[in-house]
Amino acid sequence: METVAGIFSSRDRAEEAVRELHSLGIPNDRIALLTPGMTDERVEREVPTADSEQPGMGQAMGGAVGGAMGVAGGATLGAAAASLLVPGVGPVIAGGLLGAAILGAGGTVTGIAAGEALENELESGLPHDEIYLYEDALRKGRSVVVAFVDNEGAIYSVRAAFAGAGAESIDEARENWWIGLRDAEEAEYQTSGRTFQTDEASYRRGFEAACRSRGKGSTDSAGDGDDEAFRRGYERGQSYQKSLREKYRA
């Protein structure tokens, strides 16, 4: 099973892409739609929190798979949806049976009922290495569609459908994400007296490794621990992930 993802400037564009996927014969249980959800103010007002949780880190809203998609504003993926809080991102509507599992598998969602049952079944197909890019898109108010396909011909068809609906590819999203961070990382790195232009590739690998691991783990577990540029990038990536999560802990 291969995954193909597209990032869209609006939910309407993302839903257009979902309709195109349906026309290609891809069923709902192989499509996920992730889109920004409720406002921060409504989350703080309506989401219950347990005593052990910080404000704003409450149970998933409507976390059980049910008839939430129509209420959320679009029935493109049928009845299955969950509305949930992603630390560092905020409220997200995860449409389709796979939507909740994608974010849940990354260990970023609290209180979600839909994800746990799906994780084991879909473990091998979930795009763990891309979740940080989905989160970045959602923080910027964009929507993400992910399709799971099982043959090469379908991969090309899905990519064409996404392009026709105005999608940014994951590769493009990764480059644009780094462009947005690069100036600050260059300035930080050069305070060490090292040359960023020379070391950027290793530094970026370390930064991205930390983002893929959700900011957890050590440089040694990520590999390239003897590479100073990689190590510094990994540490900065950890700090970056931590800062994103802290935004929703206060």
Side-chain angles (χ1 to χ4, degrees):
M1 191 71 67
E2 298 286 337
T3 61
V4 183
I7 294 174
F8 298 85
S9 59
S10 69
R11 179 168 173 168
D12 287 345
R13 289 278 192 169
E15 291 189 348
E16 177 186 340
V18 171
R19 288 190 291 270
E20 288 298 316
L21 296 183
H22 286 163
S23 73
L24 294 173
I26 298 175
N28 280 340
D29 65 1
R30 288 291 178 265
I31 304 172
L33 168 64
L34 308 175
T35 196
M38 301 162 68
T39 64
D40 290 350
E41 292 77 11
R42 189 175 171 194
V43 168
E44 292 293 338
R45 186 171 67 248
E46 297 187 10
V47 179
T49 59
D51 292 339
S52 61
E53 294 172 330
Q54 297 295 322
M57 293 282 288
Q59 297 290 323
M61 300 166 287
V65 173
M69 196 63 187
V71 176
T76 2
L77 292 176
S83 185
L84 48 106
L85 283 174
V86 180
V89 177
V92 174
I93 296 167
L97 290 172
L98 297 176
I102 286 174
L103 293 175
T108 60
V109 177
T110 59
I112 185 163
E116 185 176 353
L118 291 169
E119 281 179 24
N120 292 336
E121 179 183 353
L122 299 167
E123 183 78 19
S124 61
L126 290 172
H128 295 262
D129 288 354
E130 298 175 354
I131 291 173
Y132 74 97
L133 295 172
Y134 303 164
E135 291 176 344
D136 182 67
L138 292 165
R139 278 194 299 273
K140 294 174 179 175
R142 299 172 183 168
S143 295
V144 180
V145 177
V146 182
F148 291 74
V149 293
D150 55 10
N151 66 76
E152 189 172 348
I155 292 173
Y156 290 117
S157 296
V158 169
R159 286 176 178 165
F162 283 173
E168 177 183 58
S169 72
I170 288 299
D171 288 342
E172 291 170 330
R174 184 178 288 106
E175 289 307 308
N176 289 332
W177 168 82
W178 182 245
I179 288 169
L181 296 169
R182 187 184 184 280
D183 287 349
E185 296 311 310
E186 179 179 10
E188 174 67 22
Y189 189 72
Q190 293 191 161
T191 62
S192 68
R194 299 171 68 93
T195 305
F196 187 76
Q197 287 80 0
T198 302
D199 296 345
E200 180 177 359
S202 292
Y203 183 93
R204 178 176 172 177
R205 282 199 306 272
F207 197 102
E208 291 187 4
C211 291
R212 289 194 298 270
S213 68
R214 332 299 313 138
K216 301 174 183 177
S218 65
T219 311
D220 291 340
S221 65
D224 288 345
D226 294 332
D227 183 329
E228 178 67 12
F230 180 94
R231 184 184 65 79
R232 288 179 178 272
Y234 192 89
E235 290 172 354
R236 283 285 292 177
Q238 286 182 311
S239 297
Y240 171 75
Q241 286 288 311
K242 181 180 178 182
S243 69
L244 292 176
R245 277 150 182 75
E246 285 179 346
K247 179 179 179 182
Y248 286 89
R249 292 185 182 181

